[in-house]
Amino acid sequence: MPDPFLIRAALAGLGLALAAGPLGCFVVWRRMAFFGDATAHAAILGVALALGFSVSIFAGTLGVALLMALTVSTLAGRGWAMDTTLGVLAHSALAFGLVAISFVPGVRVDLQAYLFGDILAVSWRDLSFIWGGAALVLAGLAWRWSGLLTATLSEDLAQASGVDPARERLVLTLALALVVAVAIKVVGALLIAAMLIVPAAAARGFARTPEAMAALATAIAAAAALAGLWASLTFDTPAGPSIVVAAAVAFTLSASLGGMRRSG
């Protein structure tokens, strides 16, 4: 019988995979990688505010991640140059968060746990947030799936079909902020974007439909979470980075097999 902390860690990784798989496909399709990075980096500022005002870490990270995501989404809608704007916002929020934590009185914080995750320390309460957040993300994506796909394909086509691209962008923004809030305990702020992008990129070469790509990305993310946990326990490596390494290996294999298929 596995130890309870291993069961909790595995469930946390699977919960994150359920949300990150399909959402990561939209991140890849819409080329929102830096958008996800900026939202994740802002989560550290949320941790600092949560500690300073004695509220839950989940509430603090969700609030700040949501504020960052809405800010970026609004600026994108107004035609701002996104690469520079996202770079400024992402790194500024991360720096402000790291500095702010040092001013929180009487609190000793292991920053590595928030930067790179601490999945082995996940509690049953944390699991309820992770799985609850994953369920909300999946429900939102299922509810707006057709509209999201249409807006992703072409905003002009979406408007002609009666779909509001701004509304679909807002759905993705809310989902992204929620995933950041639940994932910070699992893989940390610096690696959240990788768990969104890498499994989806690995699935892209083998899926023939958007639904198949979302399902395959979820399966790859889940396998990476379990393989990363096994590697962490076997080789005494950090769990969060090990999960991302496992996903990167899956992407490498996918790219190699995809190249072999094309050459054949």
Side-chain angles (χ1 to χ4, degrees):
M1 180 69 179
D3 291 329
F5 80 93
L6 284 179
I7 296 174
R8 291 194 299 268
L11 289 174
L14 294 175
L16 173 60
L18 285 174
L23 182 60
C25 292
F26 284 101
V27 171
V28 169
W29 292 331
R30 286 174 169 253
R31 299 180 181 179
M32 294 171 60
F34 210 177
F35 184 102
D37 227 15
T39 307
H41 285 184
I44 293 297
L45 181 57
V47 170
L49 293 176
L51 293 173
F53 290 99
S54 300
V55 299
S56 75
I57 297 297
F58 176 79
T61 53
L62 178 60
V64 174
L66 184 58
L67 179 61
M68 173 65 83
L70 289 173
T71 299
V72 172
S73 183
T74 300
L75 294 178
R78 294 180 179 178
W80 282 51
M82 276 296 96
D83 54 347
T84 303
T85 303
L86 286 171
V88 171
L89 291 175
H91 299 298
S92 296
L94 178 61
F96 273 114
L98 294 174
V99 171
I101 286 177
S102 68
F103 284 100
V104 178
V107 175
R108 292 186 176 274
V109 180
D110 179 12
L111 283 177
Q112 283 205 25
Y114 295 109
L115 292 174
F116 302 107
D118 192 10
I119 190 173
L120 297 178
V122 166
S123 65
W124 290 113
R125 184 169 179 269
D126 293 328
L127 272 179
S128 68
F129 286 124
I130 292 170
W131 278 85
L136 286 175
V137 169
L138 288 176
L141 292 180
W143 170 51
R144 298 304 311 163
W145 184 262
S146 179
L148 285 168
L149 284 177
T150 304
T152 299
L153 180 64
S154 168
E155 291 197 355
D156 293 334
L157 177 62
Q159 289 176 337
S161 304
V163 175
D164 183 2
R167 180 183 60 195
E168 307 310 320
R169 193 185 310 121
L170 178 61
V171 171
L172 285 179
T173 297
L174 295 172
L176 188 60
L178 193 53
V179 167
V180 166
V182 301
I184 193 168
K185 188 80 173 183
V186 180
V187 292
L190 298 184
L191 300 175
I192 292 171
M195 280 303 291
L196 288 167
I197 298 165
V198 179
R204 193 172 195 172
F206 293 93
R208 293 291 175 263
T209 65
E211 292 79 9
M213 180 171 164
L216 184 55
T218 302
I220 292 172
L226 297 178
L229 277 175
W230 172 84
S232 174
L233 293 170
T234 303
F235 304 109
D236 195 23
T237 55
S242 297
I243 291 172
V244 176
V245 167
V249 170
F251 172 77
T252 302
L253 293 173
S254 170
S256 301
L257 291 173
M260 291 172 61
R261 288 174 62 189
R262 285 191 294 271
S263 62

